[in-house]
Amino acid sequence: MVWWEAVLSPALQVLFDKLASGDILELLRGWNINNLLLEKLKIAYFTCTVVIDDAEEKQYYNPAIQTWLDMLRDAVYEAEDALDILATEALRCKVELSPQRFSNQVKNWNFSATNFRSFDEGMTIKIENIIDKLEFIAKQKDILGLETSGKRIYGMINRIPTTPLLVESCIYGRENEKEEIIKLLLDDNGTSDHGFSVIPILGMGGIGKTTLAQLVYSDKKIDEAFDVKAWACVSDDFNVVNITKALVESSTAKPCDTMNLEILQRGLKHVLNRKRFLIVLDDVWNEGFENWNELSIPFMVADPQSRIIITTRNEGAVTVMKALPPYRLKEMSDPQCWLLFLQYTLKVEGSEEYSTLKQIGREIVKKCKGLPLAVKMLGALLASKLDIVYWNQVLRSNIWYLPQKENAILPSLRLSYHHLPLNLKRCFAYCSIFPKGYEFERKNLVLLWMAEGFVQPGENINMEEVGNDYFSELLSRSFFQESMVNRTCFVMHDLIMIWLGAYQENIVFNKRRIGKQIILKVMKKLVTSHTFATNMMSTKNLNHCMMICHYAPFCL
């Protein structure tokens, strides 16, 4: 789902719903705008957007698909404008007339006929043109091979499975964290009744969760405390057969040639029976109880002091495992990042350029904001060219625009976004209106989401409660962080903000459009002139309107 479609599709759906209301349908008929025309627009729109997920992933490998997405974006913007004008005009006509007079005018329609003939003719032509454009775009999706199935192409991003092996001399800055995790593993208080305890390491992509797990796994104290150790890279496909097979092979150090789950589980039970094991499940995304329940069957026969470490970006994956409270991994300090950077780049002092490169390098490290993956990626890139001019170019550039083959973070954070449900994609993408480093309050952001139509009430739950659930979910997935300055506020990590901006094609145009839409929301209030004062008597509405005016300048 590209960011603009995630933002606009709920807005369009809300407008479609408004236009389907009884009063507005009467007005549209009075303007001679056929309801069938709006239905055709709706069908054309959704015919295109059903393949958005597939197109969004394939655009990185096919420029023609990127062009197709640009065409669709422009057409969607036009459709949004047209529907918004219809809904606003209908609302204005309704509030300018008393209920009695409104009913009579709808029946007689002298008001509409004399004042809106040119309006309805122009709007009909405009909608017909948009439908033609969307239908043309829809035909191209088949030529481009875009599919509506749930298949994902993450395999096209070369994601090498992790292993527990590492070179400890290349690791910096995680000694304290390693000792804290080891203490949790060896603590008798973590003993579970069902044969094992789960200790999650939680953090955003690129922060070093896997490296920390590797450090713990390789420590001598762990070798002495546990009878059996096993490692499995889970990734986004929680395949019980593959994971069980990986655990059997890792624990026995022998290849296994069967894919029969029963045989694999019996083999793993035999290895773990009455033994104290340590298992690492790296990069877990699954939130399904059934998959976890099936995988954990062989673990039940083990010593109660057995432990499982999982690394994950998603706190939802932790809840199904009945895990201990997650260990939240924080960013590395600048001095630690600098030592890591030196490991890849300026290993030998003495050259004439060394002091200058060192100064530039420190500034580059600061841009990484404590993410070791970013430090390693940039260090490896710069090591190949110890040139002052080139290093200055990297310092001044946006690291997310580096070639993808040299940029390990772009697919890493993109994967986090792809795993968001659609409702959370909408809300997260909307946060691009904030400037980098901006502190925002939970309540204010939820109200903005509500105003955009991203939040709808559920059964026995109001919109604000739903919006708060959305916020908590993004917080649990490490997209939001508590502010270090003001604990009542939240921020987004600088590199997530930069990535979000780089991910949005034509970012300036899109932000300005969001700003335009925010301001239009205020103007709509003013359009309903005589009801405006009454509506604003509500403290919530007043605060909401003031907040919209406050955030709009970020987009302009």
Side-chain angles (χ1 to χ4, degrees):
M1 177 70 65
V2 284
W3 84 273
W4 54 265
E5 198 278 336
V7 169
L8 287 181
S9 66
L12 282 171
Q13 186 59 60
V14 169
L15 287 169
F16 279 132
D17 293 342
K18 285 181 182 177
L19 292 170
S21 68
D23 290 344
I24 293 179
L25 280 179
E26 289 295 327
L27 288 165
L28 295 180
R29 292 190 190 103
W31 288 337
N32 295 320
I33 295 177
N34 194 329
N35 187 45
L36 181 60
L37 194 64
L38 296 178
E39 287 299 315
K40 285 182 66 178
L41 175 61
K42 193 173 183 178
I43 292 169
Y45 165 72
F46 285 111
T47 300
C48 291
T49 57
V50 290
V51 297
I52 282 290
D53 276 337
D54 193 39
E56 191 272 338
E57 291 180 12
K58 290 179 178 176
Q59 66 174 313
Y60 303 104
Y61 315 98
N62 188 340
I65 294 177
Q66 176 61 63
T67 302
W68 182 87
L69 283 169
D70 290 341
M71 292 171 60
L72 177 57
R73 179 199 62 215
D74 292 340
V76 168
Y77 282 156
E78 289 183 40
E80 183 196 22
D81 285 343
L83 293 179
D84 211 19
I85 290 170
L86 282 176
T88 304
E89 285 296 315
L91 177 62
R92 186 178 70 82
C93 291
K94 181 177 180 180
V95 299
E96 284 184 352
L97 301 172
S98 65
Q100 178 76 32
R101 191 177 164 208
F102 173 76
S103 177
N104 293 335
Q105 290 287 3
V106 167
K107 292 176 182 176
N108 300 324
W109 213 256
N110 295 327
F111 179 79
S112 172
T114 56
N115 293 284
F116 290 95
R117 183 171 289 109
S118 60
F119 171 83
D120 62 47
E121 289 175 356
M123 185 54 65
T124 299
I125 294 172
K126 186 177 183 68
I127 294 175
E128 287 174 345
N129 289 338
I130 295 170
I131 291 171
D132 290 342
K133 190 177 294 186
L134 285 171
E135 288 178 343
F136 171 78
I137 294 170
K139 291 177 182 176
Q140 306 309 307
K141 70 180 175 61
D142 298 323
I143 297 173
L144 293 170
L146 299 176
E147 302 174 354
T148 59
S149 67
K151 296 177 182 177
R152 310 195 73 81
I153 60 167
Y154 294 137
M156 298 178 71
I157 302 171
N158 293 324
R159 304 180 65 213
I160 301 172
T162 62
T163 74
L165 303 180
L166 82 165
V167 180
E168 290 196 45
S169 61
C170 297
I171 307 300
Y172 294 93
R174 292 302 190 192
E175 193 61 36
N176 290 339
E177 290 87 342
K178 183 184 84 168
E179 293 302 322
E180 288 171 354
I181 294 292
I182 290 175
K183 184 177 179 181
L184 289 173
L185 292 172
L186 303 182
D187 188 356
D188 292 340
N189 292 331
T191 301
S192 170
D193 294 335
H194 52 258
F196 61 92
S197 297
V198 180
I199 299 173
I201 301 175
L202 180 68
M204 64 181 289
I207 204 167
K209 300 181 295 297
T210 298
T211 300
L212 178 57
Q214 289 170 329
L215 283 170
V216 170
Y217 191 92
S218 304
D219 192 270
K220 290 182 180 180
K221 293 192 287 290
I222 295 299
D223 290 335
E224 295 169 357
F226 292 92
D227 304 314
V228 179
K229 295 195 304 181
W231 180 288
C233 180
V234 178
S235 196
D236 51 303
D237 180 20
F238 197 96
N239 186 303
V240 175
V241 175
N242 289 340
I243 298 170
T244 306
K245 184 174 185 290
L247 293 175
V248 170
E249 292 178 336
S250 179
S251 59
T252 61
K254 295 178 181 178
C256 181
D257 58 3
T258 183
M259 295 300 288
N260 183 294
L261 181 58
E262 181 186 354
I263 295 174
L264 290 170
Q265 287 185 327
R266 287 184 184 278
L268 188 57
K269 284 179 71 174
H270 177 73
V271 172
L272 302 181
N273 189 37
R274 298 182 181 180
K275 301 286 181 65
R276 187 184 187 189
F277 70 74
L278 172 65
I279 286 176
V280 174
L281 301 177
D282 186 40
D283 197 20
V284 175
W285 296 82
N286 174 66
E287 295 184 29
F289 175 78
E290 290 184 6
N291 286 337
W292 168 248
N293 193 46
E294 187 70 29
L295 177 67
S296 62
I297 289 174
F299 307 156
M300 305 296 183
V301 299
D303 186 295
Q305 291 187 329
S306 296
R307 302 288 185 264
I308 297 176
I309 294 175
I310 69 164
T311 68
T312 183
R313 313 175 193 193
N314 179 13
E315 197 165 352
V318 174
T319 57
V320 301
M321 300 178 180
K322 298 180 180 178
L324 298 174
Y327 184 89
R328 301 180 186 275
L329 191 58
K330 303 297 183 182
E331 296 89 344
M332 287 171 54
S333 68
D334 283 347
Q336 293 168 342
C337 288
W338 174 243
L339 291 174
L340 180 60
F341 183 79
L342 286 178
Q343 179 68 31
Y344 284 85
T345 53
L346 303 172
K347 298 179 182 179
V348 181
E349 298 187 33
S351 68
E352 295 180 7
E353 296 180 327
Y354 180 83
S355 60
T356 304
L357 289 175
K358 185 176 178 180
Q359 185 178 357
I360 299 169
R362 286 190 181 277
E363 294 302 314
I364 290 173
V365 166
K366 288 179 182 178
K367 291 182 66 174
C368 296
K369 295 295 180 180
L371 283 191
L373 179 59
V375 175
K376 289 191 286 186
M377 181 267 293
L378 285 174
L381 175 68
L382 295 170
S384 63
K385 198 169 183 179
L386 301 179
D387 176 76
I388 293 174
V389 174
Y390 180 66
W391 281 40
N392 270 318
Q393 288 175 349
V394 172
L395 174 61
R396 292 192 299 267
S397 69
N398 186 336
I399 66 172
W400 307 108
Y401 290 116
L402 293 171
Q404 184 163 313
K405 64 180 181 180
E406 298 168 343
N407 194 338
I409 305 189
L410 188 62
S412 175
L413 293 185
R414 194 169 74 225
L415 189 63
S416 294
Y417 177 76
H418 280 309
H419 275 271
L420 286 176
L422 176 58
N423 56 340
L424 296 184
K425 283 183 179 180
R426 298 165 180 168
C427 297
F428 172 64
Y430 182 79
C431 295
S432 66
I433 69 170
F434 299 135
K436 191 169 65 173
Y438 184 77
E439 295 184 348
F440 51 88
E441 294 182 6
R442 174 192 288 253
K443 181 179 180 181
N444 287 350
L445 183 54
V446 168
L447 288 174
L448 284 170
W449 289 341
M450 290 165 57
E452 290 292 343
F454 303 157
V455 181
Q456 299 300 323
E459 252 187 77
N460 302 320
I461 181 169
N462 61 40
M463 279 201 291
E464 287 193 49
E465 291 172 325
V466 174
N468 274 310
D469 288 344
Y470 289 177
F471 191 99
S472 297
E473 186 74 11
L474 287 170
L475 181 64
S476 75
R477 292 170 183 257
S478 304
F479 285 98
F480 298 158
Q481 300 174 339
E482 282 189 3
S483 169
M484 299 297 290
V485 179
N486 184 348
R487 292 293 183 179
T488 64
C489 292
F490 298 84
V491 295
M492 297 173 69
H493 191 282
D494 278 6
L495 291 189
I496 286 185
M497 279 302 303
I498 294 170
W499 167 78
L500 183 57
Y503 187 58
Q504 299 170 6
E505 202 67 28
N506 302 318
I507 182 65
V508 175
F509 171 78
N510 288 332
K511 277 192 175 181
R512 288 187 177 182
R513 184 173 185 89
I514 293 177
K516 172 191 167 188
Q517 296 302 322
I518 290 175
I519 292 170
L520 280 176
K521 291 181 183 301
V522 178
M523 297 305 294
K524 281 185 185 180
K525 293 286 187 181
L526 297 174
V527 164
T528 60
S529 54
H530 70 272
T531 60
F532 181 69
T534 303
N535 289 337
M536 287 301 99
M537 291 301 290
S538 162
T539 303
K540 181 185 291 187
N541 286 344
L542 181 59
N543 289 339
H544 186 198
C545 207
M546 290 172 64
M547 185 176 58
I548 287 174
C549 294
H550 172 70
Y551 284 113
F554 295 151
C555 312
L556 300 176

